[in-house]
Amino acid sequence: MRFLTDDGRFGLLVAPLKGRGMFRFQLVIDGRLIGDTDPCILGTAMARLGNLTHLDDDRLDFLFSDMDVVLSALLTEEELHDRTTLSIAESLDDWLIHGYVYKGNVVMVARGDGDGSLTGPTLVSVVASAEYEPIIEAARSYWSRASNLSI
């Protein structure tokens, strides 16, 4: 099941797989489906995506005018890095993903990290919190129902 913003630039794919509590889980960031299709246990993902860190660092204003400033801060500033890095599911192991709330918007930044070199394009989705929250709640509800059916 896909849970997406109206413009399709952000979302989640959650699909139950055979096996107790196992799911396919991928993210849609910047309109692109990321992650692999390996089975995952989603408790951490569902909790973390519903409880993102709220930030007020002024450097985050540069997201679209000078993305390098934002990426550098997310990668090198320990407090920002630790508070925003999302290690949420095995299917996203080859991606470095940051998620946070800034000025009423949820920001997701992803970059391929398969070999530790952070290669490939930087993907960014900015979603109003009012649109993000129902998507996450719908995905969590679906996951919860599907988990209970597989027990």
Side-chain angles (χ1 to χ4, degrees), residues 16-47:
L17 300 172
K18 290 185 180 179
R20 186 178 168 104
M22 302 302 283
F23 287 81
R24 175 179 169 192
F25 178 76
Q26 292 173 279
L27 291 176
V28 175
I29 298 181
D30 208 3
R32 181 173 163 196
L33 186 65
I34 65 169
D36 60 41
T37 60
D38 290 343
C40 300
I41 298 172
L42 295 185
T44 299
M46 293 296 124

Side-chain angles (χ1 to χ4, degrees), residues 1-141:
M1 175 78 71
R2 286 186 192 222
F3 303 91
L4 298 167
T5 56
D6 290 340
D7 64 6
R9 293 182 49 83
F10 173 78
L12 295 82
L13 183 145
V14 179
L17 300 172
K18 290 185 180 179
R20 186 178 168 104
M22 302 302 283
F23 287 81
R24 175 179 169 192
F25 178 76
Q26 292 173 279
L27 291 176
V28 175
I29 298 181
D30 208 3
R32 181 173 163 196
L33 186 65
I34 65 169
D36 60 41
T37 60
D38 290 343
C40 300
I41 298 172
L42 295 185
T44 299
M46 293 296 124
R48 186 74 171 99
L49 289 170
N51 204 15
L52 296 174
T53 300
H54 290 255
L55 299 175
D56 62 1
D57 191 304
D58 291 336
R59 290 172 292 185
L60 300 175
D61 274 332
F62 292 104
L63 187 61
F64 295 107
S65 63
D66 190 350
M67 191 181 302
D68 290 339
V69 170
V70 175
L71 289 176
S72 177
L74 292 175
L75 292 172
T76 62
E77 298 289 329
E78 186 174 338
E79 183 180 341
L80 289 177
H81 180 77
D82 292 349
R83 294 175 69 201
T84 66
T85 300
L86 299 179
S87 298
I88 52 179
E90 298 89 345
S91 61
L92 298 167
D93 282 348
D94 289 341
W95 290 86
L96 177 61
I97 300 170
H98 295 278
Y100 57 90
V101 180
Y102 180 70
K103 293 186 177 179
N105 292 308
V106 171
V107 179
M108 291 284 177
V109 179
R111 195 155 194 196
D113 190 30
D115 61 2
S117 64
L118 292 176
T119 58
T122 300
L123 307 174
V124 178
S125 287
V126 178
V127 181
S129 293
E131 188 174 9
Y132 176 85
E133 291 166 6
I135 290 169
I136 297 303
E137 187 52 41
R140 287 169 65 181
S141 178

